Amino acid sequence: MERVPILKIGEVLLVSIQVDLQDQTVLALQEDLAERIVATRARGVIIDITAVDIVDSFIGRMFATIAAMSRLMDAETVVVGMRPAVAITLVELGLSLGGIRTALDLEQGMRLLGAPLPAMGADPLDGR
């Protein structure tokens, strides 16, 4: 079974889903994320689903469960990169994903969490 990597960026955990979401993968992610929130004292969780093409009702409910679990541990969840087909499917399944904020991309998601954006492409020799 593949594991979804969880990266720490400041006080935010980034979950970038790049694998096919099987039920066991999502259940493992839920456990792994809960452990990482506690271990790192993260204040926010970003779930990047840019590479996700298809969701079913179980996967949609698990996103809502992950957000609720994170909120109970004082970490706000933002889902970024949702494709139109995924949004349409979630609506058709009647899953509103209450309590989950969404953003178009990672940068906007970081802003929603009030997290500083890492300097990308900055010249380390600048300001000598």
Side-chain angles (χ1 to χ4, degrees):
M1 172 182 63
E2 293 186 71
R3 294 292 244 225
V4 176
I6 302 170
L7 307 173
K8 184 175 184 294
I9 303 172
E11 294 183 326
V12 174
L13 295 177
L14 172 62
V15 178
S16 183
I17 299 174
Q18 302 293 319
V19 298
D20 286 334
L21 289 174
Q22 305 298 324
D23 293 356
Q24 292 296 13
T25 306
V26 177
L27 290 170
L29 171 60
Q30 182 178 334
E31 289 179 30
D32 293 346
L33 185 57
E35 290 174 10
R36 288 292 305 270
I37 290 171
V38 171
T40 63
R41 298 176 184 240
R43 295 188 59 237
V45 174
I46 294 180
I47 302 174
D48 183 356
I49 62 170
T50 304
V52 175
D53 292 325
I54 300 171
V55 294
D56 60 18
S57 60
F58 178 76
I59 303 298
R61 282 193 313 273
M62 290 312 295
F63 285 151
T65 300
I66 287 170
M69 173 198 69
S70 298
R71 206 170 31 256
L72 286 172
M73 292 189 277
D74 199 28
E76 185 179 351
T77 302
V78 177
V79 173
V80 302
M82 188 177 300
R83 293 175 182 232
V86 171
I88 290 167
T89 301
L90 291 173
V91 169
E92 287 174 348
L93 291 171
L95 298 171
S96 64
L97 301 183
I100 298 180
R101 296 174 75 184
T102 59
L104 293 176
D105 57 31
L106 178 59
E107 186 177 336
Q108 186 182 25
M110 294 288 282
R111 269 197 231 102
L112 280 175
L113 292 174
L117 298 172
M120 300 293 218
D123 183 356
L125 300 177
D126 226 15
R128 268 199 285 173

